Amino acid sequence: IRNFLNDETHTKTAIWNSYHAIWNKLFVPSPGVYQRLQSVLLDLGLSAGEYTAAHIRSVYVGNGTDHYDEIQNAVHCAAELAKNSSSKLFVASDASSTIDHAIEYGRSHSWHITGRRNSAKILHLDRGRDFLQNSNDWKNHEPSDYYDTFVDLYILALSKCLTYGAGGYGSWAAIIGDIHCTIKHRRKSCTQF
């Protein structure tokens, strides 16, 4: 996925459109994921295609340390994509502290930002084979404990516009959601908005 996202040819568009169509034909959320997704959308007051989203990686790029400049830039990029200060903005991250900082920062600019504030540890599926061989942590969780990973993916994919940074999670959401108004906030400075 990452290779063709960096390719600026017409092939990118063809693959993007094909991937979106194939995804929607082959995959549907499990009943548990779907129910949780509907509940979260209702709780956050979000409707498909009526909000802008931002995905900010913290753990992936910095072992959970906060990158305030990147968080603030991501929020500015989402506001730039929304083009309306009253638009709803949704923030997802692999660290709860990042979501909290983004929400608070948005409030300081009078932007309507929401996110899934979660006191529980955010679980990850992206640790790889070496992590699984060296840790038994995954054995302590039921499959349903990982639903939120997919709920966040679908919430990002249901947005009208999306900004994302490191890793492939945010760009994956853009592809499966067929979202064409995107900003890679690690490559663009949006602080002027």
Side-chain angles (χ1 to χ4, degrees), residues 96-114:
S96 295
S97 61
T98 298
I99 296 168
D100 290 341
H101 181 75
I103 290 171
E104 294 306 317
Y105 182 74
R107 284 186 183 154
S108 73
H109 286 77
S110 300
W111 295 328
H112 180 69
I113 297 185
T114 189

Side-chain angles (χ1 to χ4, degrees), residues 25-141:
K25 292 288 185 198
L26 296 178
F27 300 104
V28 295
S30 69
V33 170
Y34 182 79
Q35 289 171 353
R36 188 166 301 164
L37 172 63
Q38 294 306 313
S39 175
V40 170
L41 288 171
L42 183 64
D43 288 347
L44 296 177
L46 299 175
S47 298
E50 295 183 9
Y51 59 93
T52 297
H55 181 252
I56 308 165
R57 296 296 291 254
S58 279
V59 174
Y60 183 84
V61 295
N63 258 350
T65 59
D66 289 316
H67 304 277
Y68 295 117
D69 292 340
E70 182 176 351
I71 295 167
Q72 293 170 2
N73 188 56
V75 171
H76 279 272
C77 288
E80 181 178 311
L81 286 168
K83 296 180 180 149
N84 183 338
S85 61
S86 65
S87 294
K88 290 185 180 181
L89 307 176
F90 171 78
V91 175
S93 180
D94 57 353
S96 295
S97 61
T98 298
I99 296 168
D100 290 341
H101 181 75
I103 290 171
E104 294 306 317
Y105 182 74
R107 284 186 183 154
S108 73
H109 286 77
S110 300
W111 295 328
H112 180 69
I113 297 185
T114 189
R116 298 184 63 212
R117 288 184 157 170
N118 190 348
S119 59
K121 179 181 175 186
I122 295 174
L123 299 176
H124 299 271
L125 296 172
D126 59 351
R127 299 296 191 198
R129 181 179 52 104
D130 292 338
F131 174 80
L132 294 176
Q133 288 176 345
N134 296 323
S135 171
N136 289 324
D137 182 59
W138 62 274
K139 293 180 181 178
N140 299 325
H141 299 285

